[in-house]
Amino acid sequence: MNPHGGRSAGAATAPAANREVLLGFFGVFRYSRRAVQLVWETNRALLLAMALLTLAAGLLPAAVAWIGAQIVDAVVYARNAAGHNAVRVLRLVLLEGCLVAGVAGAQRGLSLCQALLRAQLGQRVNVMILEKALTLELQHFEDSEFYDKLTRARREASSRPLSLVMRTFGLTQNAISLLSYAVLLVRFSPWTMLVLLVAGLPAFVAEAKFSGDAFRLFRWRSPETRMQVYLETVLAREDHVKEVKLFGLGPRLLQRYRDIFTRLYREDRALAIRRDSWGFALSLLATATLYGAYAWIALSTIRERITLGQMTMYLLLFRQGQGAVSAILSAVGGMYEDNLYLSTLYEYLETPVTTPVGSAPRGPLPSDGVRFEHVSFTYPGAAEPALSDIDLHLTPGCSLALVGENGSGKTTLIKLLTRLYSPDSGRILIDGLPLPEWSEDALRARIGVIFQDFTRYQMLVGENVGAGDERYFEDEQRWHDAAEKGRAADFIQQLPRGYRTQLGKWFKDGQELSGGQWQKIALARAFMRIDADILVLDEPTAAMDARAEAEIFEHFRTLARDRITILISHRFSTVRMADQIAVLNYGRIIEKGSHEQLMAEGGHYAQLFALQARGYR
Ligand code: ADP
């Protein structure tokens, strides 16, 4: 299996695909060990109980068969010896009954352990997936191939470790049974074992091949499955319903959803038909073998090579032996399949993350502020750079406004400053220390950002404010102060349960807010970071009117006197208040200076300003 190939597997040529199957096949036990380890870490007691029950369930059937033979022979003997051994027969029958009850008990016990483990293991794997998600970087989530990995891991992998472990146990159980049958069967003829194995092998090879095919289908399809999940979201979630209804998009999107299914179903059906036709043909082979052996055993009895009791035993052993062989083979086939699926889980869990190396809590020049030096950046896979050769210097107490058309790189600049992405060339320094050298926590404490697409948590109003500083997430006093500063306090007090009002429509009694109200919440969130000395507002006031925005920015500046404020806005009435204005165009800074300087220059800024001012007149 190709551990790196997202879609590359799809392009694999036939020999390469065969090699993949082979490699994967010999790697069958690679993930089995990890799956057992995972279960061991999840619940040792249950795993041990399962091991013991497996042993019991493996040994008991042979014992039952052996006692069965004793019973028949004891009956035959008792009839010939005129009734002397009836007690012995009854005792054997009782013993067999107990053993059969034991088998049933062991199987029930196994399924109980399995049910309990399934729940615990599912939760554990999901937590592992989410924990990993926390360590990933923004760019991972924006990368569709990576997203496919995540989707695949989430969809299948939580049930696969248990399945793999169950199959490993099933395999052991059947192997133990088979071994115990073998001990009894070789007394009839050593060839019987060979017959059993040879009859099962073709079915096994076919099964392994089809498992591989099914897995490759699953892998290629991730983009389509993801589209289906996405369409489900768009069609049935409150934040999309409004548009879908008014634009009448429903039927069209539903049709797309259906089309994807039809396409996938066609492939599924073809595979299922092939799998089951071959399965049936090969099972005929197995039946023929069984009945051949039946005839052989019957003839041996007629020739009095074996007793009647032995005949019943051998027939039973043979039948069960064949069951065990096919169970073993299908367990190995299933393990192969589980391993393939688990490989997607581990592929995801082992996605390399570049752990920030820095550990410095402060820089050497505390009053140097923020510097961008010849910073350039291109998004992975993009043809054009989003930022080119950016130079900026902001000292404490300074406010900067970023101006430019949509797509000119304003948000990207903020993403680089907050280390969500790293520049391809050039460097960014805070207090004279390059960003990569800062410790994660120190950096986070220094910078407060509100993005234009800030998150609307479906939680309490207060928590929505508190989210701005995780340490005070539940601190009511801080909620109040921050809401006051963000001008959100007035409307929050009007809400039915004040700061403890549930927001959003997903949960009971959830309140919806207007766009402007949400923005006030977001602003309040920015004010939670009272010790952050670099504050960034990326158009969080766009839904407010121009006057409210200007007022808020003014207020923001007074509160943030010794700090660095960076503001992105399309409103020149606000922009003009900033100490420095940088005009971005296609990722470059084309003009920089104060409002007065830029107006005097009569360049791009002056033109845009005049244009907007005319609009207001
Ligand atoms: P602005 O904030 O000025 O509207 P952005 O910084 O968001 O602009 O975008 C700058 C450029 O980078 C645009 O051309 C945009 O298409 C591109 N871009 C933005 N985000 C991404 C991303 N996650 N992946 C690839 N390209 C992106």
Side-chain angles (χ1 to χ4, degrees):
M1 144 91 283
N2 170 9
H4 307 293
R7 264 168 252 153
S8 60
T13 53
N18 284 338
R19 220 193 73 214
E20 245 184 37
V21 169
L22 274 180
L23 278 181
F25 202 77
F26 290 114
V28 160
F29 296 100
R30 200 171 76 204
Y31 291 103
S32 302
R33 193 182 57 77
R34 302 179 80 159
V36 173
Q37 196 180 339
L38 195 65
V39 177
W40 174 250
E41 284 162 10
T42 307
N43 194 327
R44 287 169 195 207
L46 278 178
L47 190 70
L48 288 176
M50 269 168 56
L52 288 177
L53 290 169
T54 302
L55 193 66
L59 284 175
L60 287 175
V64 171
W66 186 76
I67 292 187
Q70 303 300 309
I71 293 173
V72 176
D73 286 346
V75 169
V76 173
Y77 181 73
R79 276 162 56 124
N80 297 341
H84 292 306
N85 275 314
V87 177
R88 179 177 144 73
V89 171
L90 289 181
R91 215 180 284 143
L92 284 171
V93 170
L94 184 67
L95 185 58
E96 187 179 319
C98 291
L99 289 183
V100 169
V103 175
Q107 270 156 2
R108 276 281 152 199
L110 275 173
S111 84
L112 173 66
C113 291
Q114 192 179 344
L116 298 179
L117 261 180
R118 180 173 301 126
Q120 290 191 3
L121 206 60
Q123 165 73 3
R124 193 184 154 91
V125 171
N126 280 329
V127 169
M128 280 165 68
I129 291 176
L130 293 174
E131 269 172 354
K132 177 70 185 186
L134 292 186
T135 68
L136 295 171
E137 291 170 49
L138 180 62
Q139 67 196 72
H140 284 121
F141 291 92
E142 291 180 345
D143 169 6
S144 69
E145 291 226 351
F146 175 79
Y147 215 78
D148 280 344
K149 254 194 223 173
L150 179 64
T151 319
R152 282 199 299 259
R154 283 232 304 247
R155 274 194 46 217
E156 276 281 346
S158 64
S159 61
R160 292 285 174 175
L162 180 65
S163 153
L164 188 52
V165 170
M166 289 313 300
R167 286 198 229 256
T168 310
F169 276 114
L171 182 83
T172 320
Q173 176 191 331
N174 281 301
I176 293 173
S177 297
L178 198 61
L179 219 66
S180 56
Y181 301 156
V183 170
L184 298 172
L185 269 175
V186 283
R187 285 203 281 178
F188 176 68
S189 162
W191 290 106
T192 48
M193 290 311 293
L194 195 67
V195 171
L196 277 179
L197 284 177
V198 169
L201 213 56
F204 164 65
V205 172
E207 192 50 39
K209 179 187 169 346
F210 290 124
S211 304
D213 289 354
F215 177 71
R216 264 187 303 282
L217 263 188
F218 167 77
R219 236 185 131 87
W220 292 342
R221 272 171 182 187
S222 303
E224 276 151 316
T225 336
R226 194 148 50 84
M227 178 51 97
Q228 265 196 320
V229 173
Y230 177 69
L231 287 173
E232 279 168 23
T233 322
V234 174
L235 284 171
R237 229 177 65 183
E238 101 290 2
D239 39 352
H240 300 295
V241 161
K242 213 171 19 174
E243 268 204 32
V244 170
K245 266 196 181 318
L246 290 182
F247 294 161
L249 292 175
R252 173 182 294 273
L253 297 184
L254 189 58
Q255 191 52 43
R256 271 197 192 179
Y257 183 77
R258 283 205 195 97
D259 291 344
I260 294 178
F261 172 79
T262 317
R263 217 166 32 239
L264 299 186
Y265 176 70
R266 218 175 288 141
E267 294 166 353
D268 276 340
R269 191 181 50 191
L271 181 62
I273 290 177
R274 261 189 308 142
R275 199 176 193 159
D276 284 322
S277 324
W278 274 103
F280 175 63
L282 296 173
S283 79
L284 285 183
L285 185 68
T287 311
T289 321
L290 174 68
Y291 279 86
Y294 204 142
W296 182 16
I297 293 170
L299 287 178
S300 302
T301 319
I302 295 174
R303 293 195 193 119
E304 297 197 348
R305 262 194 59 216
I306 53 175
T307 67
L308 218 51
Q310 281 170 330
M311 181 186 97
T312 48
M313 177 178 81
Y314 288 137
L315 282 182
L316 189 64
L317 287 177
F318 206 85
R319 204 186 282 272
Q320 287 187 348
Q322 202 181 30
V325 168
S326 69
I328 286 176
L329 298 182
S330 81
V332 175
M335 282 166 75
Y336 171 60
E337 194 177 295
D338 288 342
N339 260 280
L340 293 178
Y341 285 95
L342 269 189
S343 69
T344 70
L345 174 68
Y346 282 102
E347 212 176 277
Y348 161 77
L349 289 177
E350 281 156 12
T351 309
V353 284
T354 41
T355 38
V357 278
S359 58
R362 64 185 70 81
L365 309 167
S367 54
D368 194 53
V370 173
R371 266 180 201 276
F372 278 68
E373 293 179 350
H374 305 292
V375 171
S376 298
F377 175 73
T378 308
Y379 281 101
E384 296 292 318
L387 288 176
S388 319
D389 201 24
I390 299 292
D391 272 308
L392 273 176
H393 184 204
L394 304 169
T395 46
C398 164
S399 59
L400 168 78
L402 291 173
V403 185
E405 286 170 23
N406 294 326
S408 57
K410 305 181 295 291
T411 302
T412 307
L413 196 140
I414 306 303
K415 286 187 189 161
L416 293 184
L417 174 64
T418 45
R419 222 167 57 178
L420 289 174
Y421 281 97
S422 305
D424 303 328
S425 61
R427 48 183 206 160
I428 304 169
L429 304 104
I430 295 181
D431 296 352
L433 188 71
L435 272 194
E437 291 172 32
W438 280 89
S439 96
E440 179 104 60
D441 289 338
L443 198 62
R444 199 179 294 152
R446 294 289 298 274
I447 309 180
V449 189
I450 298 300
F451 282 107
Q452 52 189 333
D453 53 352
F454 60 86
T455 306
R456 301 165 182 217
Y457 299 99
Q458 305 236 347
M459 299 179 194
L460 302 186
V461 180
E463 290 172 334
N464 262 285
V465 175
D469 193 336
E470 190 273 331
R471 292 166 299 174
Y472 305 108
F473 193 76
E474 292 178 348
D475 185 330
E476 299 222 8
Q477 191 49 49
R478 295 228 182 193
W479 296 351
H480 287 255
D481 295 347
E484 203 65 56
K485 291 179 186 150
R487 308 263 155 127
D490 288 346
F491 87 84
I492 293 179
Q493 272 145 18
Q494 311 281 321
L495 291 172
R497 306 190 56 199
Y499 284 83
R500 308 210 73 88
T501 307
Q502 169 73 36
L503 291 187
K505 283 285 172 210
W506 279 35
F507 303 100
K508 195 166 170 293
D509 298 332
Q511 281 272 322
E512 203 35 275
L513 300 181
S514 75
Q517 286 172 328
W518 269 115
Q519 289 196 331
K520 287 181 178 168
I521 298 269
L523 277 171
R525 199 178 286 166
F527 284 111
M528 280 296 288
R529 302 216 146 219
I530 39 180
D531 35 354
D533 54 5
I534 303 168
L535 290 167
V536 183
L537 297 182
D538 180 356
E539 289 191 75
T541 43
M544 298 177 192
D545 56 63
R547 182 185 312 183
E549 182 185 285
E551 227 179 81
I552 281 178
F553 183 58
E554 189 54 44
H555 177 64
F556 200 78
R557 268 206 330 171
T558 358
L559 286 169
R561 224 167 297 121
D562 312 320
R563 307 182 193 171
I564 294 174
T565 5
I566 302 178
L567 171 88
I568 297 180
S569 173
H570 289 290
R571 296 226 181 84
F572 287 83
S573 47
T574 312
V575 168
R576 64 182 297 175
M577 292 192 279
D579 305 323
Q580 257 199 76
I581 297 162
V583 185
L584 279 165
N585 195 17
Y586 293 110
R588 290 181 181 276
I589 295 183
I590 51 167
E591 285 169 27
K592 194 163 62 180
S594 68
H595 172 73
E596 287 70 27
Q597 285 166 342
L598 293 181
M599 288 306 282
E601 271 176 30
H604 200 73
Y605 177 83
Q607 270 176 16
L608 289 175
F609 187 85
L611 203 70
Q612 211 173 69
R614 216 178 303 139
Y616 277 110
R617 231 175 261 144

